[in-house]
Amino acid sequence: SDAVTRALVSIAEHTEDAFRLAAIETLAEMMLLDIDLVARTGGMRVLLSVLAEGPEEFAPVLVTTFLYVIDTPSTRAYLNPGTDLEIALSGITDAYGKGEAHTERMTACAKVVAAMLRTWSG
């Protein structure tokens, strides 16, 4: 239901919540099953921000999930062109002048971009 999904989105947004990682994983699985529900409740925005900002261990799962969404024409409509996928690239595009503290985030973002590019056939 919408209420349960909104509760998961709320948990996934709070970085201090002990159940955050479980909520993120659940939202990613739900996006494959019912993308309309996840998009309607704000879950895609949260998953895109997790993809961009971490935790790093979820990057491969989320990249695969979003590539599935992009690959299917009926689900591609749920992504906003020019904004949603740029969130995933923000670690690289916002790197100028950030210094050494930004190196980990940029490395994780580079792995995300490499995973995306590996799926293209040319």
Side-chain angles (χ1 to χ4, degrees), residues 2 5-6 8-10 12-13 27 31 35-49 66:
D2 284 4
T5 308
R6 282 192 183 101
L8 285 170
V9 169
S10 177
E13 286 178 326
L27 284 172
M31 192 163 76
I35 191 168
D36 184 53
L37 175 65
V38 175
R40 196 174 55 237
T41 56
M44 289 185 68
R45 177 186 46 81
V46 171
L47 292 176
L48 282 166
S49 67
F66 279 106

Side-chain angles (χ1 to χ4, degrees), residues 2 15 19 33 45 48 61 73 86 103 109 113 121:
D2 284 4
T15 57
F19 295 109
L33 298 173
R45 177 186 46 81
L48 282 166
V61 172
E86 287 181 7
T103 305
C109 187
V113 171
S121 61

Side-chain angles (χ1 to χ4, degrees), residues 14-99:
H14 291 91
T15 57
E16 303 86 27
D17 199 310
F19 295 109
R20 180 177 189 239
L21 299 179
I24 291 168
E25 190 173 356
T26 303
L27 284 172
E29 290 176 14
M30 287 175 64
M31 192 163 76
L32 295 175
L33 298 173
D34 190 359
I35 191 168
D36 184 53
L37 175 65
V38 175
R40 196 174 55 237
T41 56
M44 289 185 68
R45 177 186 46 81
V46 171
L47 292 176
L48 282 166
S49 67
V50 169
L51 182 62
E53 298 170 5
E56 276 186 56
E57 60 266 13
F58 278 108
V61 172
L62 293 178
V63 165
T64 306
T65 302
F66 279 106
L67 288 174
Y68 174 79
V69 169
I70 292 169
D71 193 40
T72 309
S74 62
T75 59
R76 191 178 307 141
Y78 289 97
L79 292 171
N80 297 321
T83 57
D84 285 348
L85 290 181
E86 287 181 7
I87 293 172
L89 304 176
S90 67
I92 293 175
T93 59
D94 296 343
Y96 182 73
K98 297 281 184 167

